[in-house]
Amino acid sequence: MKIGIISDTHNHLHNLQVALERLRQEGAEVLIHCGDLTTPETASALGGFRVIHVCGNGDIATGAIRQALLQLNPSNYSGMIYRGEIEGLQIAAVHGHVSAALQELIRSQSVDLLFTGHTHRRRDEQIGKMRLINPGALGGVRVEERSFYLLDSQTHQGRFFYLA
């Protein structure tokens, strides 16, 4: 299964639409949003995927964002920290502003894949037995080139995609 990982949209709908179109072309079925969607209107653009969304510090309207995602698909998730399984892989996601939870997940080595955002910096790093992935940012303060990530859960191969 192909998993799209995006983060820090900060209401930049154009960049989000470009990333989603590419993820559809690549065959992504699941979308993990690592926080800072910002509004329920932006959340409404995520149709066609099973969405796992963790709330970021910019997601002030968390209840409305959750409702928008559940209207798209009742199996979608929106909350502060996600832990679950995808095709035998134990995964977790947390926005980086919840630093204690992020550090505990890293320390515990209790998941195979940990997805995070907040820093607007790309990261794909093996830490012990766990792989930590930050897809970079689609909006907000520009620290690096706009990016997102695609991971194949079968082959464990992943790569960053960059927006022009």
Side-chain angles (χ1 to χ4, degrees), residues 4 34 44 62 119:
C34 300
S44 295
T62 56
T119 63

Side-chain angles (χ1 to χ4, degrees), residues 1-117:
M1 173 186 297
K2 293 188 179 174
I3 305 166
I5 302 106
I6 61 176
S7 191
D8 296 280
T9 308
H10 292 283
N11 258 357
H12 202 298
L13 196 54
H14 174 74
N15 286 354
L16 176 60
Q17 289 169 333
V18 170
L20 294 176
E21 181 56 34
R22 183 61 188 264
L23 289 169
R24 285 185 187 96
Q25 290 170 0
E26 296 287 332
E29 298 173 45
V30 174
L31 183 67
I32 298 175
H33 194 297
C34 300
D36 285 352
L37 262 168
T38 315
T39 68
E41 292 78 21
T42 307
S44 295
L46 303 180
F49 297 94
R50 176 174 169 244
V51 178
I52 297 167
H53 165 257
V54 290
C55 300
N57 55 303
D59 292 327
I60 305 303
T62 56
I65 289 170
R66 183 176 187 278
Q67 270 308 114
L69 290 172
L70 290 175
Q71 285 176 350
L72 293 173
N73 182 341
S75 70
N76 285 346
Y77 171 87
S78 183
M80 290 304 291
I81 301 169
Y82 178 82
R83 288 186 71 125
E85 181 182 319
I86 294 180
E87 295 196 332
L89 294 169
Q90 294 299 313
I91 68 164
V94 61
H95 194 64
H97 79 297
V98 188
S99 59
L102 178 62
Q103 291 308 313
E104 175 56 26
L105 284 162
I106 292 169
R107 187 200 61 71
S108 72
Q109 296 282 302
S110 59
V111 295
D112 301 305
L113 296 165
L114 175 57
F115 304 104
T116 189

Side-chain angles (χ1 to χ4, degrees), residues 5 7-8 34 114-124 132-137 147 149 160:
I5 302 106
S7 191
D8 296 280
C34 300
L114 175 57
F115 304 104
T116 189
H118 186 60
T119 63
H120 296 212
R121 294 188 186 279
R122 290 180 295 282
R123 191 171 175 190
D124 182 355
L132 176 69
I133 298 172
N134 183 329
S147 62
Y149 196 88
F160 290 100

